[in-house]
Amino acid sequence: MNILEEAKEIFDNIQRIAPVVHNISNYITATDCANMTLACGGSPTMADDPEEVADISAGCNGCVINMGNTGGFLEESMLRMGRKNNELEHPVIFDPVGAGAAHRRNAVLENLMDHIRFTVIRGNISEIKYVGDKSSHAKGVDAANEDLANEDNIYEIAEYAKKISAITCSVIAISGPIDVVANADTAYLIRNGHPMMSRITGTGCMLSSAIGVFVAANPYKALEATVTAMAAYGYAGELAYEKTVRTEGGTGSLRTFLIDYMSNMNYETFLKGAKIELV
């Protein structure tokens, strides 16, 4: 069965299960992450108090740990939430926001990596390179230009993603001009999305939340669910851009339309626009 055929079961399972997904998210994007979770067919909970995160996670189908904020009690909250989901054998999605950009952030990353088994690690190429071998050129939360994927290096990046997957035992999802999703043996390229999406704060955070819904409903098909989520999200971004242009809107309209198109995304629409390549 190829990935486009697998996607039907993935969408069906989301509709059937309506997974509850526990997010600890960047405070800048928490509302958008909650709304994207709802748009994808899941139900969000955003509890971040370390005294309750384990109890909250016990009633969920999976979780998304977003490292956008690392201060105060949040490191302990992320650790407790991740360990509880590991104990329950629920999927844990990790978004290593800003990995490589600051010593404190990197220390938090190492602590999380040491104590939590991540089902999927989703980041831009600079973040994933830091997670993989500390080779990132990142100076902030955005990917460094010299790290970005293009047609000349994309197959090399796909092989790199497989290598990092083997090291971390996680599905590796790299978002960028061309997306890459890989496990240790298989990699997919996804050519969906639009450059204007990068002008909205939180498109990466929302993508990680979308992956959380797709994987929480399909825990035994983490690779295929992640590919489907990223292609659907990218295609929704393309449709949102087209509508933004038609209505003479800007980045605010694009953000709204992105959530709209994800809320209406289904298998039939997905088939019309998904651009996925097995490599």
Side-chain angles (χ1 to χ4, degrees):
M1 186 180 295
N2 66 37
I3 189 66
L4 294 179
E5 294 170 337
E6 294 267 16
K8 185 177 189 311
E9 181 181 354
I10 288 165
F11 276 102
D12 287 347
N13 285 341
I14 294 171
Q15 187 173 25
R16 178 175 60 84
I17 296 170
V20 180
V21 183
H22 189 179
N23 285 255
I24 290 182
S25 180
N26 190 329
Y27 64 80
I28 296 169
T29 63
T31 299
D32 287 339
C33 289
N35 282 325
M36 182 55 66
T37 299
L38 287 164
C40 291
S43 178
T45 181
M46 316 299 284
D48 62 7
D49 187 324
E51 297 302 319
E52 69 173 2
V53 290
D55 290 341
I56 295 295
S57 271
C60 298
N61 300 94
C63 74
V64 180
I65 295 176
N66 178 304
M67 206 177 69
N69 295 330
T70 59
F73 57 80
L74 286 172
E75 181 178 3
E76 183 62 26
S77 297
M78 291 186 281
L79 283 168
R80 292 186 185 185
M81 183 170 81
R83 288 197 297 255
K84 184 62 176 181
N85 278 272
N86 282 169
E87 176 189 325
L88 297 170
E89 299 184 350
H90 291 168
V92 182
I93 315 304
F94 183 40
D95 187 338
V97 178
H103 293 300
R104 160 65 182 165
R105 185 171 298 271
N106 297 343
V108 173
L109 170 68
E110 296 297 332
N111 195 16
L112 297 176
M113 296 288 294
D114 285 345
H115 292 95
I116 300 170
R117 298 188 309 276
F118 294 112
T119 311
V120 181
I121 302 175
R122 199 292 314 168
N124 64 44
I125 181 61
S126 295
E127 292 162 346
I128 296 300
K129 288 181 77 172
Y130 188 85
V131 168
D133 57 16
K134 312 298 187 292
S135 64
S136 167
H137 294 94
K139 295 181 175 63
V141 299
D142 296 322
N145 288 334
E146 56 264 51
D147 289 336
L148 287 174
N150 56 57
E151 292 296 346
D152 293 330
N153 66 10
I154 190 60
Y155 295 102
E156 179 182 342
I157 290 175
E159 288 302 314
Y160 178 80
K162 290 197 285 186
K163 172 186 170 184
I164 301 308
S165 177
I167 292 170
T168 61
C169 298
S170 306
V171 171
I172 298 297
I174 305 173
S175 53
I178 306 168
D179 296 332
V180 176
V181 181
N183 63 16
D185 303 311
T186 305
Y188 291 92
L189 307 183
I190 302 163
R191 289 184 167 85
N192 287 106
H194 191 276
M196 191 176 178
M197 296 170 73
S198 66
R199 295 177 58 197
I200 306 172
T201 295
T203 47
C205 299
M206 286 189 280
L207 173 57
S208 294
S209 293
I211 292 170
V213 174
F214 279 67
V215 177
N218 297 276
Y220 303 109
K221 293 189 175 183
L223 175 68
E224 296 82 0
T226 302
V227 172
T228 303
M230 291 186 76
Y233 185 84
Y235 183 41
E238 294 172 25
L239 296 171
Y241 172 75
E242 292 170 3
K243 186 168 182 178
T244 299
V245 171
R246 289 197 307 270
T247 58
E248 299 182 350
T251 54
S253 298
L254 182 68
R255 170 181 166 275
T256 298
F257 296 149
L258 174 61
I259 295 172
D260 283 349
Y261 277 108
M262 279 304 288
S263 71
N264 290 319
M265 185 64 62
N266 55 34
Y267 178 63
E268 290 71 25
T269 302
F270 173 84
L271 283 182
K272 295 176 183 176
K275 305 180 185 76
I276 302 169
E277 175 188 349
L278 174 64
V279 295

